[in-house]
Amino acid sequence: MKRPRQGLDLQVDRTLALPVYQQICRRFKTAIEQRHLHSNDRVPSIRALAAELKVSCGTVDLAYRILIDEGYLLSRGAAGTVVSPALPPAPDVAPRRANNGAIHAASVDYEGRERKPLLMGLPALDAFPRKTWNRLVGHRLRTSEPARLGFPDPTGDERLREKIAAYLGISRGVSCLPEQVFVTSGLRNSLELILSSLARPGDEFWLENPGYILARLFLQNTGLKLVPVPVDEQGMVVERGLTAAPSARFAMVTPAHQSPLGVTLSLERRMALLDWAGKMGSWVIEDDYDSEFRYQGRPLPALKSLDRNDRVIYSGTFSKSMFPGLRLAYVVAPLSIAAAFRASAYSINAGCPYLYQAAVADFIAGGHFSRHLKKMRLLYAERRMLTERIFSAMLGDRVRIELQPGGLHMLLQLARHEDDVMLAERAHAAGLALHPLSRWYMRGKPRKGFLLGFANVVTEKDAMELATRLRQALGG
Amino acid sequence: MKRPRQGLDLQVDRTLALPVYQQICRRFKTAIEQRHLHSNDRVPSIRALAAELKVSCGTVDLAYRILIDEGYLLSRGAAGTVVSPALPPAPDVAPRRANNGAIHAASVDYEGRERKPLLMGLPALDAFPRKTWNRLVGHRLRTSEPARLGFPDPTGDERLREKIAAYLGISRGVSCLPEQVFVTSGLRNSLELILSSLARPGDEFWLENPGYILARLFLQNTGLKLVPVPVDEQGMVVERGLTAAPSARFAMVTPAHQSPLGVTLSLERRMALLDWAGKMGSWVIEDDYDSEFRYQGRPLPALKSLDRNDRVIYSGTFSKSMFPGLRLAYVVAPLSIAAAFRASAYSINAGCPYLYQAAVADFIAGGHFSRHLKKMRLLYAERRMLTERIFSAMLGDRVRIELQPGGLHMLLQLARHEDDVMLAERAHAAGLALHPLSRWYMRGKPRKGFLLGFANVVTEKDAMELATRLRQALGG
């Protein structure tokens, strides 16, 4: 316990405007950044430090939680708390980036939100046609009536709903009326709308295992009974759902590219799922989050296009096809429940800002959307191959890359029996937004690996730099 | 049943692209608009019409539900369904406005969202400095880095949080750090953040009776035990809360201008509330939704400014101080729970679009925000007096106007014993967004009256036209 205290001036000053817990945080950060404290150094216990500083245990606890959250400290449970073994390589390597994020949150969070390279689900921000977009937004900004500053339509802007319906008909084989389309601020908001329209407490809900982690975190707090259904090379194993919970009220699937394994739901499974839903009067939620991007074979029509009995609720997003900062997504409800969705939208939603909705409608109407998607398919195909080539060459002994036929990420399987969560945290600390595959499993023995977003890997130099950083982070 | 069918060609055409239920809707709308069907005419029962058209009962039911929702038909329960007794006066008086809204939804919905005059809570859209605003948004649009197209910070843009903290310190006596400020998309999102950070199922929750209707609708679905606490001329009657549920975990209040009665929470009650919260370790949620506008006496500091024990969670919004289409609000969490809020924000929120957040920060930093509020205080004082004068003169025999010391709405008490819900629906049908006071009561004998937003009543001519319309809608 001697060495850590060197250079760590832990006096608190109650006359400062800065609260005591923040003073503690600052002192630790400074000491760690200036290397007065080193990786794996144990820090004092909460009780000991509180007594020494004459502050409450709660104050020290809060400071430690923040430091852990930001990646400076690591809790080893009963073994105490230590300085993080995975500190950023040096204070001058983008310390802000490495430090301002919630590593814990990011590690369970697909969207990550850190502005770190290799974040899965993030489209190529450098390739978005910003000039065109800015022109369209600027035009709406100048020409919209003052009434548009008022409350937005909670079901979505009418013109945008028309454009979405037209796009889905042409591109995804989904035929629907604008009245069936509901604009939301993202998948979680879409799920909220669906569940508030249809769900009853205790309803059984099939979800893919592994499956989209943020959806699961959201669903876990809804009072539904979640039924994990395994995924094989043909997608969700529908028969396993039938055995486990034949009268489930909902099933949520990612038929185009299973999230995260990337497989496609086979035609046989699609028919089995629709058949079950028709017989049981259950609802299938199709999360078609990134079907726009496919590099092998032809894009598959949506599951919804096979839906003769109107049991499929379709969910799409502009986060991948445009950019996530838009916060715009949508749900298509079967006609029989469109009125219920409308009532729910009025009672749970306050609507999304008009400006972006209007500009997206213009972007689609002007043909920019389909042009952009076409360009991105080619660009992503290139970046995917580039990333695969460089990472295979430089990390081939540590990971095996599984290319998926579509989407914006690839799967890196670990060659050794290693803990992907621990390794991903190390990669995070080194400034890489890799996601550990095992966290996407709700139950059972998880596969281990990394989920790596390739859409923003622009040059060979980028790829080599990133692969080098990952190699270093993985260590021995 | 004869007359209604005249001019109502109810054949359906299965070869049309338009779904059958929509065909039924269209026929009814045309027949009603062309006066082939008249107010109070009974329409066929669902079963009879379904049999006649050889369609399913579900199809007719859907069509009727839409027609009821849009105000064409009115369900009288066992007495059958009739053509609405409160049809718009004539097809050429803005039929789109009168028809495109969900009257039912609007009638339970404070925010209304219809673009009808007299909507409460809507600030003066004509007086918002759009040029300045457009310049700021345009600037951010052109100069933001591409990375800003990515996922926004789920806790809110850092600079905006700083500006909010500074504003609250100066204007509301609320001293807080940017780390305590969380940006949300509106009050419901704020409540979601608060509850997901702190609430446990079954927690007791005091709320004002009458109180903000949308908050109640949201809270009713959260598994909390709602405890309505009456409001008198000093605001929430705290002693009644103490009797009904002394160990409640939450109390939500609108201390500046009680929503909807407009009274101010007295100092004695403020102290009693804080005292209770401190002793019980409960949380007080201060909804400070429109305190910026006060016309008599000096603006009161926030309840939060008296909060020595850190039990008050402060909630504010830009919907009234700027405009509701922004969809930006905020919560200030006490330091002791800021870390929990942060974790919640990462798990439930996907963040708000960066562009508007950055522009609001610029709007505050450039001094435009405080200038705008100053101007609006004078303007609203004028519009408030104008509205009061004209409506008193023209409707003095039917309503008694209660002016409130602040806020954007006034209370119209009914002079006779009449049903405010029914009268408000008539006013809605005549294109006025009045809200019935009795709907804001959760329990007990409600006061009856209308809540009327005056912020967009610009000229004397406007006021007279609106008062005339209301007079006509009220009838006899």
Side-chain angles (χ1 to χ4, degrees):
Chain A
M1 290 297 280
K2 270 277 155 67
R3 198 163 55 99
R5 308 304 292 278
Q6 282 205 341
L8 181 62
D9 172 15
L10 270 171
Q11 297 306 310
V12 300
D13 181 349
R14 285 167 198 286
T15 65
L16 281 182
L18 197 68
V20 170
Y21 83 94
Q22 292 232 336
Q23 295 185 36
I24 300 173
C25 283
R26 293 236 170 135
R27 301 290 159 84
F28 270 98
K29 287 182 189 181
T30 308
I32 290 169
E33 282 167 4
Q34 296 175 353
R35 298 293 189 257
H36 298 300
L37 284 173
H38 298 90
S39 288
N40 297 309
D41 281 348
R42 270 186 71 181
V43 299
S45 74
I46 290 174
R47 186 173 302 205
L49 187 56
E52 187 182 323
L53 300 178
K54 300 194 180 60
V55 301
S56 77
C57 285
T59 301
V60 177
D61 179 43
L62 179 64
Y64 277 18
R65 273 158 64 189
I66 291 170
L67 290 164
I68 290 168
D69 191 49
E70 296 188 358
Y72 286 92
L73 301 185
L74 183 68
S75 166
R76 295 227 158 114
T81 298
V82 299
V83 175
S84 174
L87 289 173
D92 58 342
V93 176
R96 242 199 100 59
R97 291 201 178 183
N99 300 334
N100 72 350
I103 285 183
H104 172 72
S107 73
V108 295
D109 186 343
Y110 164 101
E111 299 189 349
R113 290 185 197 83
E114 301 307 291
R115 270 176 235 119
K116 288 177 189 163
L118 305 182
L119 180 62
M120 74 184 282
L122 188 68
L125 300 182
D126 63 308
F128 186 72
R130 296 184 78 212
K131 267 198 178 163
T132 303
W133 174 246
N134 291 352
R135 183 168 50 75
L136 296 175
V137 175
H139 177 74
R140 285 286 165 184
L141 195 60
R142 287 186 307 274
T143 59
S144 301
E145 298 160 33
R148 293 299 190 177
L149 301 175
F151 297 103
D153 185 332
T155 67
D157 177 60
E158 192 172 351
R159 201 164 144 268
L160 177 57
R161 288 189 278 119
E162 282 167 16
K163 299 301 165 210
I164 292 171
Y167 161 73
L168 292 176
I170 294 167
S171 302
R172 304 294 300 132
V174 173
S175 106
C176 62
L177 294 166
E179 290 86 337
Q180 295 173 257
V181 178
F182 295 84
V183 178
T184 71
S185 63
L187 177 67
R188 273 169 294 185
N189 190 201
S190 294
L191 286 173
E192 239 179 339
L193 180 62
I194 295 167
L195 297 180
S196 72
S197 306
L198 300 171
R200 294 169 300 223
D203 277 349
E204 288 174 316
F205 191 116
W206 296 3
L207 78 182
E208 296 167 329
N209 189 39
Y212 182 36
I213 192 165
L214 273 187
R216 167 159 51 96
L217 293 176
F218 171 81
L219 293 167
Q220 273 168 345
N221 294 313
T222 52
L224 295 169
K225 209 179 142 206
L226 300 189
V227 180
V229 179
V231 172
D232 66 15
E233 67 288 346
Q234 287 188 63
M236 177 186 262
V237 187
V238 177
E239 314 92 86
R240 296 283 295 274
L242 290 172
T243 317
S247 56
R249 191 109 187 290
F250 300 94
M252 181 160 151
V253 282
T254 47
H257 308 123
Q258 200 273 333
S259 171
L261 298 179
V263 297
T264 304
L265 190 64
S266 67
L267 185 61
E268 196 187 327
R269 297 268 175 88
R270 287 177 191 234
M271 298 317 290
L273 193 60
L274 295 178
D275 192 47
W276 161 77
K279 271 187 201 136
M280 300 302 298
S282 308
W283 299 106
V284 176
I285 301 168
E286 174 175 24
D287 178 13
D288 202 40
Y289 65 108
D290 73 353
S291 61
E292 290 88 353
F293 308 113
R294 199 177 166 87
Y295 317 106
Q296 294 164 2
R298 296 185 49 200
L300 292 170
L303 173 64
K304 175 73 189 165
S305 70
L306 300 171
D307 180 28
R308 299 284 162 261
N309 295 315
D310 269 3
R311 306 311 304 170
V312 176
I313 300 163
Y314 178 91
S315 153
T317 177
F318 290 108
S319 286
K320 275 95 188 157
S321 54
M322 290 185 65
F323 59 92
L326 264 183
R327 306 313 314 140
L328 287 176
Y330 47 93
V331 179
V332 180
L335 270 177
S336 57
I337 49 173
F341 272 57
R342 186 152 184 252
S344 280
Y346 268 85
S347 82
I348 68 161
N349 267 350
C352 301
Y354 168 75
L355 183 67
Y356 269 174
Q357 294 193 67
V360 171
D362 295 341
F363 194 73
I364 299 175
H368 307 293
F369 188 62
S370 59
R371 262 197 298 282
H372 176 58
L373 289 179
K374 208 182 238 178
K375 264 180 57 184
M376 288 304 99
R377 270 180 218 114
L378 295 175
L379 184 75
Y380 290 148
E382 278 172 26
R383 293 187 177 179
R384 175 172 167 269
M385 293 316 296
L386 167 69
T387 308
E388 193 271 339
R389 180 164 56 82
I390 302 291
F391 276 70
S392 280
M394 296 184 60
L395 285 149
D397 57 327
R398 300 298 303 275
V399 300
R400 200 168 60 74
I401 297 184
E402 242 178 58
L403 277 190
Q404 311 181 325
L408 302 179
H409 70 272
M410 51 183 67
L411 186 54
L412 273 55
Q413 282 195 282
L414 293 174
R416 311 178 190 166
H417 289 285
E418 289 178 296
D419 177 357
D420 58 352
V421 174
M422 189 267 284
L423 290 179
E425 294 222 351
R426 278 205 218 148
H428 268 293
L432 300 175
L434 289 184
H435 217 280
L437 173 60
S438 64
R439 297 300 286 264
W440 290 54
Y441 283 79
M442 183 175 168
R443 198 177 290 173
K445 196 176 143 59
R447 287 177 63 186
K448 308 222 164 171
F450 300 131
L451 300 165
L452 176 152
F454 58 79
N456 288 281
V457 180
V458 179
T459 62
E460 185 156 327
K461 192 164 155 259
D462 278 357
M464 291 181 68
E465 194 269 322
L466 293 166
T468 308
R469 249 153 97 188
L470 179 55
R471 167 126 231 140
Q472 282 168 355
L474 296 185
Chain B
M1 292 295 282
K2 271 276 155 68
R3 199 163 54 98
R5 310 303 292 278
Q6 280 205 340
L8 182 61
D9 172 15
L10 270 172
Q11 298 305 311
V12 299
D13 180 349
R14 286 169 196 286
T15 65
L16 283 181
L18 197 67
V20 171
Y21 84 94
Q22 293 231 335
Q23 295 183 36
I24 300 174
C25 283
R26 292 237 171 136
R27 300 290 161 85
F28 269 99
K29 287 181 188 181
T30 307
I32 290 169
E33 280 165 4
Q34 296 176 353
R35 296 297 190 254
H36 298 301
L37 284 172
H38 299 90
S39 286
N40 297 310
D41 282 348
R42 271 187 69 181
V43 299
S45 74
I46 289 172
R47 187 173 300 204
L49 186 57
E52 189 184 322
L53 300 179
K54 302 194 178 60
V55 301
S56 77
C57 285
T59 302
V60 178
D61 180 43
L62 179 64
Y64 277 17
R65 273 158 64 190
I66 291 169
L67 290 164
I68 290 168
D69 191 50
E70 296 188 359
Y72 287 93
L73 302 184
L74 183 69
S75 167
R76 294 225 158 116
T81 298
V82 299
V83 176
S84 174
L87 290 172
D92 57 343
V93 177
R96 240 200 100 58
R97 290 201 178 182
N99 300 333
N100 73 349
I103 286 184
H104 171 72
S107 74
V108 293
D109 187 343
Y110 164 101
E111 300 190 347
R113 294 185 194 82
E114 300 308 289
R115 272 177 232 118
K116 287 178 188 161
L118 305 183
L119 180 63
M120 75 183 282
L122 188 68
L125 300 183
D126 63 307
F128 186 73
R130 295 184 78 212
K131 267 198 177 163
T132 303
W133 174 246
N134 290 352
R135 182 169 51 76
L136 296 175
V137 175
H139 177 74
R140 284 286 165 184
L141 195 60
R142 286 187 307 276
T143 58
S144 301
E145 297 160 33
R148 291 300 189 176
L149 302 174
F151 298 102
D153 184 331
T155 67
D157 177 61
E158 192 171 350
R159 198 163 148 269
L160 177 58
R161 288 189 277 120
E162 282 166 17
K163 299 299 165 208
I164 292 171
Y167 162 72
L168 291 177
I170 294 166
S171 302
R172 305 295 298 132
V174 173
S175 103
C176 61
L177 294 167
E179 290 87 338
Q180 294 175 258
V181 178
F182 295 85
V183 178
T184 71
S185 64
L187 178 66
R188 275 169 293 185
N189 191 201
S190 295
L191 286 173
E192 242 179 334
L193 180 61
I194 294 168
L195 297 180
S196 72
S197 307
L198 299 173
R200 295 170 299 221
D203 277 349
E204 289 174 315
F205 192 116
W206 296 3
L207 78 184
E208 297 168 327
N209 188 40
Y212 182 37
I213 191 165
L214 273 188
R216 167 160 50 97
L217 292 176
F218 171 81
L219 292 167
Q220 273 167 348
N221 294 312
T222 52
L224 295 169
K225 207 179 144 206
L226 300 189
V227 180
V229 179
V231 172
D232 66 15
E233 67 288 345
Q234 287 188 63
M236 178 186 262
V237 187
V238 177
E239 314 92 85
R240 296 283 294 274
L242 291 173
T243 317
S247 56
R249 192 109 186 289
F250 299 95
M252 180 158 151
V253 282
T254 48
H257 309 122
Q258 200 273 333
S259 172
L261 298 179
V263 298
T264 303
L265 189 64
S266 67
L267 185 60
E268 195 188 326
R269 296 269 176 87
R270 288 178 190 231
M271 299 317 292
L273 193 59
L274 295 178
D275 192 46
W276 162 76
K279 271 186 201 137
M280 301 300 299
S282 308
W283 298 106
V284 176
I285 301 168
E286 174 174 26
D287 178 14
D288 201 39
Y289 65 108
D290 72 354
S291 61
E292 290 86 356
F293 308 113
R294 197 176 170 88
Y295 316 108
Q296 295 164 2
R298 295 184 50 198
L300 292 170
L303 173 64
K304 175 73 189 164
S305 70
L306 300 171
D307 180 27
R308 300 282 162 263
N309 295 315
D310 268 3
R311 307 311 303 173
V312 177
I313 300 163
Y314 178 91
S315 151
T317 177
F318 290 108
S319 285
K320 275 97 188 154
S321 54
M322 291 184 64
F323 59 92
L326 264 183
R327 307 313 313 139
L328 288 177
Y330 47 91
V331 178
V332 179
L335 270 177
S336 58
I337 50 175
F341 272 57
R342 186 152 186 252
S344 279
Y346 267 86
S347 83
I348 69 160
N349 268 350
C352 300
Y354 167 75
L355 183 66
Y356 270 175
Q357 293 193 68
V360 171
D362 294 342
F363 194 73
I364 299 174
H368 307 292
F369 187 62
S370 58
R371 264 198 296 283
H372 177 57
L373 289 179
K374 208 182 239 177
K375 264 180 59 184
M376 288 304 97
R377 267 178 219 117
L378 296 174
L379 185 74
Y380 289 146
E382 278 172 27
R383 293 188 176 178
R384 174 171 167 271
M385 293 317 295
L386 167 70
T387 308
E388 193 271 338
R389 181 164 56 80
I390 303 291
F391 275 70
S392 280
M394 296 185 61
L395 285 149
D397 57 328
R398 301 298 303 276
V399 300
R400 200 168 61 74
I401 297 182
E402 244 179 56
L403 276 191
Q404 311 181 323
L408 301 178
H409 71 273
M410 51 183 65
L411 186 55
L412 273 55
Q413 281 195 282
L414 294 173
R416 310 176 191 168
H417 288 286
E418 288 178 296
D419 178 355
D420 59 351
V421 174
M422 190 266 285
L423 291 179
E425 293 223 352
R426 279 205 219 148
H428 268 292
L432 300 175
L434 290 183
H435 218 279
L437 174 60
S438 64
R439 297 299 287 265
W440 289 53
Y441 284 80
M442 184 175 167
R443 196 178 290 175
K445 197 175 143 57
R447 286 176 65 184
K448 307 221 163 171
F450 301 132
L451 300 166
L452 177 152
F454 58 78
N456 288 281
V457 180
V458 178
T459 63
E460 184 155 328
K461 193 164 155 259
D462 278 358
M464 292 181 68
E465 194 269 322
L466 293 166
T468 309
R469 250 154 97 188
L470 179 55
R471 169 128 229 138
Q472 282 167 356
L474 295 184

